[in-house]
Amino acid sequence: IDAPEVHKARLYLYAQSSDFRLHIGRVRQMGASAGDIVRIRRIDRDDATFELVLAKAGTPTYAAWEQRLTESVNNSTRRWGYD
């Protein structure tokens, strides 16, 4: 994984519906493409609440993380998982 870059982004959590929304513009600025994997972790630091890491398709990180995508998204080819 490359050295981290810090960017501000909006992430909304709707606890009642177990739903969250991430404004994707920042992820695209990171070079994300369809099919890449994004890992989001809560870190609760003074300068950040969440950490978002991008794993590009075809990289060793992507291959390692892909195994963890065990849950399906309804009406979508997208998958997700827990670390």
Side-chain angles (χ1 to χ4, degrees):
I1 298 174
D2 293 330
E5 297 179 16
V6 176
H7 299 276
K8 291 186 182 246
R10 290 181 184 256
L11 176 69
Y12 297 95
L13 174 64
Y14 299 99
Q16 292 176 342
S17 63
S18 299
D19 189 22
F20 76 91
R21 307 280 169 93
L22 171 67
H23 285 248
I24 203 71
R26 290 289 185 192
V27 180
R28 286 189 178 152
Q29 288 175 354
M30 294 169 62
S33 300
D36 291 342
I37 300 172
V38 175
R39 181 183 72 192
I40 302 169
R41 292 192 305 176
R42 184 176 203 107
I43 57 173
D44 287 326
R45 294 188 338 214
D46 290 339
D47 62 338
T49 306
F50 292 92
E51 171 191 65
L52 185 145
V53 180
L54 174 66
K56 301 284 289 169
T59 65
T61 301
Y62 180 97
W65 290 1
E66 188 177 28
Q67 303 171 55
R68 297 182 181 129
L69 304 179
T70 59
E71 305 295 326
S72 298
V73 175
N74 291 336
N75 301 314
S76 175
T77 58
R78 294 178 181 159
R79 298 174 294 147
W80 62 278
Y82 291 104
D83 190 20

